[in-house]
């Protein structure tokens, strides 16, 4: 079973709709991240979280919100989707201090029409 | 200046050759350095991490770090068509603190042709 899972894997929606992307992990990691990836721009950090009480904005948080429901679950919401939010979205996790590698989920391909 | 810079490629090498991928970074206090491989439409997967100046070898892969020059590279020996992918360089900057935040380069696309 995958350590980091994301649902849905693909989603097509319309402008103005609310969308939630979900991420779950069984790695026991406390740090979780949401990234978006656009061609030629690499991975850009949207939000990150140390634990359920700690949520932080990344470099491109406008238009997005997150919820850390439990240590293992981290959800990303687009309150009112717009076409330039069409991208590949990845969730990642990282463990305790001293082991700073990030591990990625399979990604969600989101298309906003 | 971008914080982590990579040549976008494509870098085209023949099968069996050595592929050399390069990355420069701007934060002199950066502590940890990573190479990820990403196949088209898939998620990044870790190939190597390196923390100290010098070389680190793992199978056909060698990561090289030079903190004075703010330069990290990845060598792939005996390149195979299955190595064709985009390679992402990632750096943990000094300001990351306990969050383990990484800054990613845009990636170099490698094409290994038979």
């Amino acid at each position: 079973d995958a350590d980091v899972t994301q649902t849905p894997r693909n989603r097509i929606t319309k402008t103005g709709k609310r969308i939630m992307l979900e991420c779950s992990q069984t790695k026991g990691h406390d740090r979780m991240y949401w990234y978006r990836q656009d061609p030629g721009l690499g991975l850009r950090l949207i939000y990150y979280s140390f634990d359920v009480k700690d949520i932080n904005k990344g470099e491109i948080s406008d238009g997005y919100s997150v919820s850390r429901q439990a240590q293992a679950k981290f959800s990303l919401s687009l309150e009112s989707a717009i076409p330039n939010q069409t991208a590949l979205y990845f969730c990642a996790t990282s463990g305790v201090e001293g082991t700073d590698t990030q591990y990625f989920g399979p990604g969600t391909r989101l298309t906003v029409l | 200046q971008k914080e982590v810079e990579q040549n976008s490629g494509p870098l085209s090498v023949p099968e069996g050759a050595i592929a050399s991928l390069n990355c420069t970074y701007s934060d002199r206090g950066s502590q940890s350095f990573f190479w990820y491989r990403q196949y088209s439409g898939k998620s990044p997967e870790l190939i190597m991490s390196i923390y100290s100046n010098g070389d680190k070898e793992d199978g056909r892969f060698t990561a090289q770090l030079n903190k004075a020059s703010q330069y990290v590279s990845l060598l792939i020996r005996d390149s195979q068509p299955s190595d064709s992918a985009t390679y992402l360089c990632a750096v943990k900057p000094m300001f990351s603190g306990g969050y383990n935040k990484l800054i990613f380069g845009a990636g170099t696309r490698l094409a290994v042709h038979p």
Side-chain angles (χ1 to χ4, degrees):
Chain A
D1 289 341
D3 293 325
V4 184
T5 58
Q6 293 183 234
T7 56
R9 295 293 312 279
N10 290 282
R11 182 71 185 267
I12 300 173
T13 191
K14 294 182 178 180
T15 297
K17 295 292 187 181
R18 184 178 188 274
I19 297 296
M20 178 179 286
L21 309 182
E22 299 186 333
C23 176
S24 295
Q25 53 110 348
T26 58
K27 298 182 78 68
H29 288 169
D30 46 11
R31 296 154 178 83
M32 296 188 74
Y33 314 82
W34 275 106
Y35 292 91
R36 67 176 280 175
Q37 188 174 39
D38 301 274
L41 294 180
L43 288 161
R44 292 184 292 168
L45 185 63
I46 306 173
Y47 272 95
Y48 58 103
S49 170
F50 193 106
D51 60 31
V52 294
K53 297 180 180 179
D54 180 82
I55 303 290
N56 303 276
K57 294 182 177 180
E59 62 177 305
I60 55 162
S61 59
D62 288 349
Y64 302 95
S65 62
V66 291
S67 173
R68 185 84 182 263
Q69 302 95 322
Q71 186 195 32
K73 296 183 181 295
F74 194 33
S75 300
L76 177 71
S77 293
L78 288 67
E79 296 302 325
S80 180
I82 56 177
N84 76 0
Q85 291 177 313
T86 294
L88 193 52
Y89 289 84
F90 290 106
C91 173
T93 73
S94 180
V96 300
E97 193 71 32
T99 57
D100 47 13
T101 301
Q102 289 189 16
Y103 298 91
F104 286 81
T108 295
R109 184 168 296 280
L110 177 65
T111 302
V112 183
L113 302 177
Chain B
Q1 180 188 5
K2 292 183 180 179
E3 295 183 72
V4 178
E5 294 207 49
Q6 299 180 253
N7 189 316
S8 62
L11 173 65
S12 182
V13 300
E15 184 174 356
I18 296 175
S20 178
L21 305 163
N22 304 315
C23 173
T24 58
Y25 59 94
S26 60
D27 180 359
R28 187 171 290 278
S30 296
Q31 306 164 357
S32 310
F33 306 85
F34 306 86
W35 282 100
Y36 286 83
R37 178 177 61 200
Q38 185 177 26
Y39 293 111
S40 181
K42 303 297 184 182
S43 60
E45 57 176 323
L46 181 72
I47 298 176
M48 298 277 289
S49 58
I50 187 167
Y51 302 93
S52 303
N53 279 330
D55 295 357
K56 179 181 178 182
E57 185 175 321
D58 184 359
R60 296 187 296 113
F61 300 96
T62 299
Q64 300 174 317
L65 175 62
N66 183 326
K67 290 186 178 180
S69 299
Q70 295 174 242
Y71 176 94
V72 59
S73 64
L74 180 70
L75 301 179
I76 306 174
R77 291 182 298 281
D78 189 23
S79 295
Q80 301 297 310
S82 59
D83 294 325
S84 298
T86 296
Y87 290 80
L88 305 176
C89 173
V91 174
K92 179 181 173 180
M94 187 166 57
F95 62 77
S96 175
Y99 289 103
N100 293 344
K101 287 172 59 179
L102 300 180
I103 307 297
F104 285 83
T108 297
R109 187 158 62 92
L110 173 66
V112 181
H113 53 85

